[in-house]
């Protein structure tokens, strides 16, 4: 089997490709270039690479200033720092100023693994969702990642891109098109489009767990649809509500607190639509992170396929 | 600076003060103290040093200005209106619903404003980003930045200070309005800044300190900054909060205060013709 490609390698090679065609693309790092993997960009375009040191707030402010002069900055750091540490800078200097900062938060949720609770963002998406007009995406595989990095570059306005930087299997074929506000139906429950429930997942880790959960339930004769949310804001309410109406049972799953991100957004959409359905959220239940392997943590925080299965059965 | 030029710039500073007092009195409340203390600096910049085009406020070859102490916006609006960036009638709309002149600077609302500021400590980072971008574009424009002394408590300034020195951003000419007063008291009472120029020098900047109300000294300091090619410049301006405004000069409590039309009329009269 071909070795899976690291998501960070896709991030870097996409930036190199975009940077070749557009010299407005600049990369900012806060002493985590080795982690983010943007070395290839720095090698290709050293003059367009800015390492600010351990100073995330300054990085976002510098990115805002560069965008005021027409540059298209991609600034990356661990998602905990991108959100909690530089929130006001991203809010005011980036978003409120209507500038053009692409902020990339890596190692979301349990992906922070051995860095533990201080580095484990279960709340970045909730924070970002409260920023007016901000576009928020969490790509689920290498193909969607490359597409959304390009979309982010093309958009005139701030974007928060949540990046699981380790390897993830391809869910889409090359050439698949993506857009902000558009989710993907990864799996219909059955060929005739009928299903007993729909899982709405966000991010590579949770999309994978959602598909596994669908397989586990398929073995029991249950038809489960899976939606890859991709774009948290704007959310593809149309597709989600369509399947909520079809199935009457919706479970959201996210590598994040249950409160404030995907689960909340889907619940709000359902409640306001009047679509009658049962609903449950799989996510972190008001807890801080801790150390462990990603797999151990995913189970510890009840994010894995068996927990999704249990949530569906509980409806 | 020749005597005639000095007279002209000083007259402009007086005009900035009068317009600022008037616009704040129109509303009845505002950040008058820290606006008054930078009036002389703004007069030097907009009457002489800063390359700007009122009819083309975003011209590529203009000098940039980031007013990081964004609450002093009214003084900047006075300078911009006087130079024709927008109609003088706008000044009476300060902070009223729907205005294009909000209390804190907004690059999307006001012609001539280069950066949105107001959350203290963020402007110098933006100035660094602007300077980095201009360097990439081989644009020789100067990036001016004005920060407050109370604002200097914010750690982000010092992140930006190290960055600008590391990247040798000599296009940045920054000023600290060292009026020695912040909201809750004097800077010495709250967070003493000590030798501010020494701090900036230790951070690798070309640091100067001058009388911030001496337009000739301000002009000369900017002139020397232009000759420094390998470092950013910080000009510490020793100023007086509320300078030139009879009812609040030297008053620590003038950060944000009520101003009646009667107070304003008296202060404007005291400034003289």
């Amino acid at each position: 089997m071909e070795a899976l490609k690291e998501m960070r390698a896709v991030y870097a090679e996409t930036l190199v490709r975009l940077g070749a065609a557009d010299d407005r693309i600049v990369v900012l790092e806060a002493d985590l270039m080795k982690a983010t993997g943007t070395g290839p960009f720095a090698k290709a375009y050293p003059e367009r690479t800015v390492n600010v040191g351990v100073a995330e707030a300054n990085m976002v402010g510098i990115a805002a200033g560069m965008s005021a002069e027409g540059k298209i900055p991609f600034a990356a750091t661990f998602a905990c720092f991108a959100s909690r540490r530089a929130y006001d800078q991203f809010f005011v200097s980036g978003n409120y100023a209507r500038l053009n900062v692409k902020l990339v938060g890596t190692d979301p949720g349990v992906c922070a693994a051995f860095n533990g609770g201080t580095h484990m963002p279960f709340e970045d998406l909730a924070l970002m969702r409260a920023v007016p007009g901000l576009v928020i995406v969490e790509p689920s595989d290498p193909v969607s990642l490359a597409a959304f990095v390009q979309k982010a570059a093309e958009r005139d306005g701030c974007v928060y891109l949540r990046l699981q930087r380790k390897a993830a299997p391809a869910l889409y074929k090359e050439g698949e098109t993506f857009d902000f506000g558009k989710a993907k139906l990864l799996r219909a429950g059955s060929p005739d489009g009928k299903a007993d429930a729909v899982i709405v997942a966000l991010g590579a880790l949770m999309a994978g767990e959602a598909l596994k959960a669908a397989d586990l339930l398929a073995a029991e004769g249950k038809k489960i649809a899976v939606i890859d949310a991709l774009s948290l804001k704007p959310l593809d309410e149309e597709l989600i509500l369509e399947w909520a109406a079809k199935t009457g049972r919706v479970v959201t799953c996210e590598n994040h607190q249950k409160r404030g991100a995907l689960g909340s957004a889907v619940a709000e959409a359902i409640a306001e639509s009047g679509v009658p359905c049962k609903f449950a959220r799989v996510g972190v239940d008001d807890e801080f992170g801790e150390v462990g392997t990603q797999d151990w943590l995913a189970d510890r925080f009840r994010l894995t396929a068996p927990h999704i299965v249990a949530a569906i059965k509980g409806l | 600076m020749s005597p005639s030029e000095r007279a002209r710039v000083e007259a402009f500073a007086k005009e900035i003060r009068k317009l600022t007092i008037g616009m704040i009195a129109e509303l009845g409340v505002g950040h008058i103290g820290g606006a008054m203390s930078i009036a002389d600096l703004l007069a030097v910049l907009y009457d002489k040093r800063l390359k700007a085009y009122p009819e083309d406020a975003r011209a590529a070859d203009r000098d940039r200005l980031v007013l990081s102490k964004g609450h002093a916006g009214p003084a900047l609006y006075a300078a911009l209106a006087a130079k024709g960036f927008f109609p003088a009638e706008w000044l009476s709309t300060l902070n009223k619903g729907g205005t294009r002149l909000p209390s804190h600077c907004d690059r999307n609302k006001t012609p001539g404003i280069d950066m949105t500021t107001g959350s203290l400590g963020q402007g110098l980072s933006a100035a660094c980003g602007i300077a980095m971008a201009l360097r990439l574009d081989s644009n020789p424009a100067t990036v001016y930045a004005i920060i407050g002394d109370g604002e200097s408590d914010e750690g982000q300034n010092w992140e930006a200070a190290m960055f600008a020195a590391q990247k040798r951003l000599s296009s940045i000419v920054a000023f600290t309005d060292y009026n020695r007063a912040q909201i809750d008291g004097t800077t010495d009472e709250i967070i003493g800044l000590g030798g501010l120029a020494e701090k900036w020098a230790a951070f690798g900047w070309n640091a100067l300190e001058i009388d911030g109300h001496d337009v000739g000294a301000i002009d000369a300091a900017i002139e020397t900054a232009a000759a420094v090619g390998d470092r950013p410049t910080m000009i510490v301006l020793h100023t007086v909060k509320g300078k030139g405004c009879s009812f609040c000069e030297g008053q620590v409590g003038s950060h944000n205060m009520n101003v009646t039309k009667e107070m304003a009329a008296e202060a404007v009269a005291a400034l003289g013709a």
Side-chain angles (χ1 to χ4, degrees):
Chain A
M1 186 181 148
E2 191 186 348
L4 292 176
K5 199 171 210 174
E6 285 204 316
M7 294 280 270
R8 62 179 164 184
V10 175
Y11 174 64
E13 73 190 28
T14 306
L15 288 175
V16 169
R17 177 169 58 77
L18 296 174
D22 189 342
D23 65 7
R24 296 174 301 167
I25 305 273
V26 296
V27 162
L28 290 95
E29 293 280 354
D31 203 33
L32 282 174
M33 183 176 284
K34 285 178 184 165
T36 315
T38 47
F41 188 93
K43 196 174 171 194
Y45 314 110
E47 74 289 351
R48 284 193 265 146
T49 307
V50 185
N51 197 327
V52 306
V54 190
E56 296 80 12
N58 193 35
M59 174 175 72
V60 172
I62 290 168
M66 294 187 87
S67 75
E69 295 296 329
K71 304 303 174 197
I72 303 173
F74 281 79
T77 181
F78 290 159
C80 50
F81 307 135
S83 55
R84 302 195 304 256
R85 188 86 180 189
Y87 188 70
D88 192 44
Q89 288 73 21
F90 190 48
F91 190 101
V92 174
S93 291
N95 286 271
Y96 179 70
R98 311 298 198 277
L99 286 169
N100 194 19
V101 176
K102 318 304 174 185
L103 186 60
V104 177
T106 71
D107 301 64
V110 295
C111 302
F114 299 131
N115 276 328
T118 54
H119 289 56
M120 198 160 287
F122 289 146
E123 62 294 314
D124 57 318
L125 296 174
L127 288 164
M128 293 302 179
R129 228 184 123 222
V131 179
L134 178 62
V135 162
I136 305 169
V137 289
E138 185 170 359
S140 57
D141 84 328
V143 180
S144 57
L145 172 59
F148 276 116
V149 170
Q150 177 158 350
K151 284 280 173 196
E154 289 165 359
R155 177 174 201 261
D156 182 17
C158 291
V159 173
Y160 180 66
L161 189 148
R162 201 180 199 226
L163 172 62
Q164 183 177 320
R165 64 188 163 93
K166 290 181 181 156
L171 299 176
Y172 302 100
K173 293 195 176 102
E174 291 293 340
E176 178 89 25
T177 58
F178 298 86
D179 206 351
F180 302 127
K182 289 291 174 193
K184 292 279 182 189
L185 183 68
L186 270 180
R187 183 179 296 187
S190 68
D192 61 357
K194 288 187 178 152
D196 301 308
V198 59
I199 306 171
V200 184
L202 183 64
L205 174 67
M206 299 316 295
E209 294 300 320
L211 289 171
K212 276 187 230 167
D215 286 341
L216 290 170
L217 286 164
E220 298 175 19
K222 294 198 172 66
K223 303 184 197 82
I224 308 297
V226 178
I227 289 175
D228 182 4
L230 292 164
S231 173
L232 175 62
K233 188 179 175 183
L235 184 71
D236 190 348
E237 295 186 7
E238 193 180 341
L239 184 70
I240 292 166
L241 291 175
E242 178 193 331
W243 281 87
K246 265 187 197 174
T247 63
R249 286 182 178 79
V250 179
V251 170
T252 58
C253 56
E254 56 198 309
N255 179 16
H256 188 275
Q257 296 286 356
K258 286 180 179 179
R259 293 160 183 80
L262 180 71
S264 294
V266 172
E268 289 158 15
I270 289 171
E272 288 183 341
S273 72
V275 169
C277 71
K278 294 184 172 178
F279 176 76
R281 293 168 296 167
V282 169
V284 178
D285 196 5
D286 209 25
E287 289 191 274
F288 291 110
E290 61 188 71
V291 292
T293 63
Q294 183 175 309
D295 287 348
W296 185 86
L297 289 162
D299 184 54
R300 154 76 180 81
F301 288 104
R302 308 173 67 81
L303 305 178
T304 54
H307 297 293
I308 299 170
V309 168
I312 291 171
K313 287 184 172 174
L315 291 177
Chain B
M1 189 177 263
S2 68
S4 65
E5 192 172 55
R6 173 182 283 271
R8 192 191 75 217
V9 175
E10 285 178 347
F12 187 48
K14 197 178 278 187
E15 187 182 1
I16 290 172
R17 287 193 164 93
K18 287 179 179 173
L19 290 172
T20 304
I21 294 166
M23 62 201 291
I24 289 175
E26 174 72 28
L27 187 74
V29 63
H31 294 104
I32 191 145
M36 291 294 113
S37 56
I38 63 165
D40 300 298
L41 168 62
L42 292 174
V44 174
L45 288 175
Y46 281 89
D47 207 48
K48 182 172 180 192
R49 284 287 168 186
L50 187 136
K51 189 193 277 189
Y53 307 92
E55 69 290 349
D56 184 11
R58 290 270 161 92
D61 69 335
R62 76 193 190 281
D63 291 330
R64 275 64 167 171
L65 173 70
V66 178
L67 181 58
S68 190
K69 46 173 286 182
H71 55 278
L76 181 50
Y77 303 153
L80 291 170
K83 290 297 178 187
F85 281 80
F86 50 81
E89 297 79 62
W90 288 19
L91 295 178
S92 61
T93 69
L94 177 75
N95 271 347
K96 293 177 179 168
T99 186
R100 295 184 66 171
L101 304 181
S103 61
H104 299 81
C105 295
D106 188 325
R107 65 185 299 277
N108 297 300
K109 289 200 159 69
T110 314
I113 298 296
D114 289 319
M115 186 60 201
T116 298
T117 54
S119 183
L120 293 177
Q122 298 192 18
L124 199 55
S125 297
C128 287
I130 292 169
M132 291 292 286
L134 294 177
R135 175 185 283 175
L136 280 174
D137 294 341
S138 302
N139 185 329
T142 299
V143 184
Y144 294 101
I146 304 172
I147 66 176
D149 51 2
E151 182 184 14
S152 301
D153 299 349
E154 292 280 5
Q156 191 182 342
N157 285 304
W158 304 100
E159 296 180 3
M162 283 188 280
F163 177 85
Q166 174 75 20
K167 300 297 180 189
R168 301 182 181 279
L169 295 177
S170 57
S171 64
I172 294 180
V173 177
F175 305 87
T176 302
D177 178 21
Y178 201 0
N179 59 33
R180 296 186 173 263
Q182 53 195 113
I183 296 176
D184 282 345
T186 65
T187 53
D188 283 342
E189 287 168 335
I190 308 299
I191 291 291
L193 297 167
L196 207 42
E198 288 88 337
K199 281 189 172 71
W200 286 94
F203 274 75
W205 287 50
N206 170 45
L208 299 81
E209 52 188 325
I210 57 171
D211 175 351
H213 299 306
D214 179 341
V215 295
I218 296 167
D219 184 53
I222 294 171
E223 177 86 43
T224 65
V228 177
D230 63 344
R231 281 169 295 163
T233 290
M234 170 55 76
I235 301 169
V236 176
L237 302 171
H238 291 286
T239 55
V240 175
K241 198 144 190 170
K243 176 72 177 180
C245 181
S246 57
F247 59 80
C248 70
E249 180 167 325
Q251 285 183 26
V252 173
S254 66
H255 176 80
N256 191 24
M257 67 185 291
N258 294 327
V259 178
T260 64
K261 287 188 174 150
E262 293 69 34
M263 289 161 73
E266 222 178 282
V268 167
L271 276 165

